[in-house]
PDB file of all heavy atoms in Angstrom:
ATOM      1  N   ASN A 424     169.807 125.673 122.188  1.00 86.00           N
ATOM      2  CA  ASN A 424     170.203 124.551 121.316  1.00 86.00           C
ATOM      3  C   ASN A 424     169.215 124.397 120.166  1.00 86.00           C
ATOM      4  O   ASN A 424     169.624 124.168 118.996  1.00 86.00           O
ATOM      5  CB  ASN A 424     170.281 123.258 122.094  1.00 86.00           C
ATOM      6  CG  ASN A 424     171.272 123.291 123.222  1.00 86.00           C
ATOM      7  OD1 ASN A 424     171.144 122.565 124.193  1.00 86.00           O
ATOM      8  ND2 ASN A 424     172.309 124.126 123.121  1.00 86.00           N
ATOM      9  N   ALA A 425     167.914 124.485 120.461  1.00 89.00           N
ATOM     10  CA  ALA A 425     166.902 124.317 119.432  1.00 89.00           C
ATOM     11  C   ALA A 425     167.009 125.365 118.350  1.00 89.00           C
ATOM     12  O   ALA A 425     166.910 125.078 117.161  1.00 89.00           O
ATOM     13  CB  ALA A 425     165.510 124.361 120.069  1.00 89.00           C
ATOM     14  N   HIS A 426     167.256 126.603 118.752  1.00 91.00           N
ATOM     15  CA  HIS A 426     167.344 127.693 117.755  1.00 91.00           C
ATOM     16  C   HIS A 426     168.658 127.636 116.970  1.00 91.00           C
ATOM     17  O   HIS A 426     168.707 128.037 115.804  1.00 91.00           O
ATOM     18  CB  HIS A 426     167.191 129.040 118.436  1.00 91.00           C
ATOM     19  CG  HIS A 426     165.743 129.384 118.688  1.00 91.00           C
ATOM     20  ND1 HIS A 426     164.932 130.021 117.747  1.00 91.00           N
ATOM     21  CD2 HIS A 426     164.931 129.170 119.768  1.00 91.00           C
ATOM     22  CE1 HIS A 426     163.738 130.200 118.250  1.00 91.00           C
ATOM     23  NE2 HIS A 426     163.695 129.682 119.463  1.00 91.00           N
ATOM     24  N   VAL A 427     169.732 127.146 117.617  1.00 87.00           N
ATOM     25  CA  VAL A 427     170.945 126.920 116.872  1.00 87.00           C
ATOM     26  C   VAL A 427     170.687 125.884 115.770  1.00 87.00           C
ATOM     27  O   VAL A 427     171.131 126.049 114.624  1.00 87.00           O
ATOM     28  CB  VAL A 427     172.088 126.436 117.803  1.00 87.00           C
ATOM     29  CG1 VAL A 427     173.264 125.907 117.004  1.00 87.00           C
ATOM     30  CG2 VAL A 427     172.535 127.599 118.685  1.00 87.00           C
ATOM     31  N   LEU A 428     169.997 124.798 116.131  1.00 89.00           N
ATOM     32  CA  LEU A 428     169.688 123.774 115.127  1.00 89.00           C
ATOM     33  C   LEU A 428     168.838 124.311 113.980  1.00 89.00           C
ATOM     34  O   LEU A 428     169.103 124.054 112.801  1.00 89.00           O
ATOM     35  CB  LEU A 428     168.930 122.615 115.791  1.00 89.00           C
ATOM     36  CG  LEU A 428     169.748 121.649 116.644  1.00 89.00           C
ATOM     37  CD1 LEU A 428     168.844 120.664 117.368  1.00 89.00           C
ATOM     38  CD2 LEU A 428     170.767 120.906 115.776  1.00 89.00           C
ATOM     39  N   LEU A 429     167.813 125.116 114.313  1.00 89.00           N
ATOM     40  CA  LEU A 429     166.974 125.708 113.271  1.00 89.00           C
ATOM     41  C   LEU A 429     167.782 126.607 112.355  1.00 89.00           C
ATOM     42  O   LEU A 429     167.648 126.562 111.127  1.00 89.00           O
ATOM     43  CB  LEU A 429     165.864 126.536 113.920  1.00 89.00           C
ATOM     44  CG  LEU A 429     164.655 125.754 114.494  1.00 89.00           C
ATOM     45  CD1 LEU A 429     163.748 126.686 115.268  1.00 89.00           C
ATOM     46  CD2 LEU A 429     163.889 125.040 113.390  1.00 89.00           C
ATOM     47  N   LEU A 430     168.625 127.423 112.938  1.00 90.00           N
ATOM     48  CA  LEU A 430     169.406 128.372 112.130  1.00 90.00           C
ATOM     49  C   LEU A 430     170.454 127.691 111.250  1.00 90.00           C
ATOM     50  O   LEU A 430     170.526 127.954 110.056  1.00 90.00           O
ATOM     51  CB  LEU A 430     170.090 129.389 113.037  1.00 90.00           C
ATOM     52  CG  LEU A 430     170.974 130.452 112.328  1.00 90.00           C
ATOM     53  CD1 LEU A 430     170.227 131.165 111.207  1.00 90.00           C
ATOM     54  CD2 LEU A 430     171.506 131.458 113.350  1.00 90.00           C
ATOM     55  N   VAL A 431     171.238 126.789 111.793  1.00 88.00           N
ATOM     56  CA  VAL A 431     172.283 126.162 111.000  1.00 88.00           C
ATOM     57  C   VAL A 431     171.665 125.228 109.950  1.00 88.00           C
ATOM     58  O   VAL A 431     172.202 125.104 108.836  1.00 88.00           O
ATOM     59  CB  VAL A 431     173.307 125.398 111.868  1.00 88.00           C
ATOM     60  CG1 VAL A 431     174.036 126.363 112.788  1.00 88.00           C
ATOM     61  CG2 VAL A 431     172.654 124.289 112.680  1.00 88.00           C
ATOM     62  N   SER A 432     170.507 124.617 110.261  1.00 89.00           N
ATOM     63  CA  SER A 432     169.823 123.787 109.270  1.00 89.00           C
ATOM     64  C   SER A 432     169.342 124.654 108.103  1.00 89.00           C
ATOM     65  O   SER A 432     169.461 124.276 106.918  1.00 89.00           O
ATOM     66  CB  SER A 432     168.629 123.063 109.881  1.00 89.00           C
ATOM     67  OG  SER A 432     169.049 122.191 110.926  1.00 89.00           O
TER      68      SER A 432
END
Side-chain angles (χ1 to χ4, degrees):
N424 300 153
H426 279 274
V427 168
L428 284 173
L429 283 172
L430 178 52
V431 297
S432 299

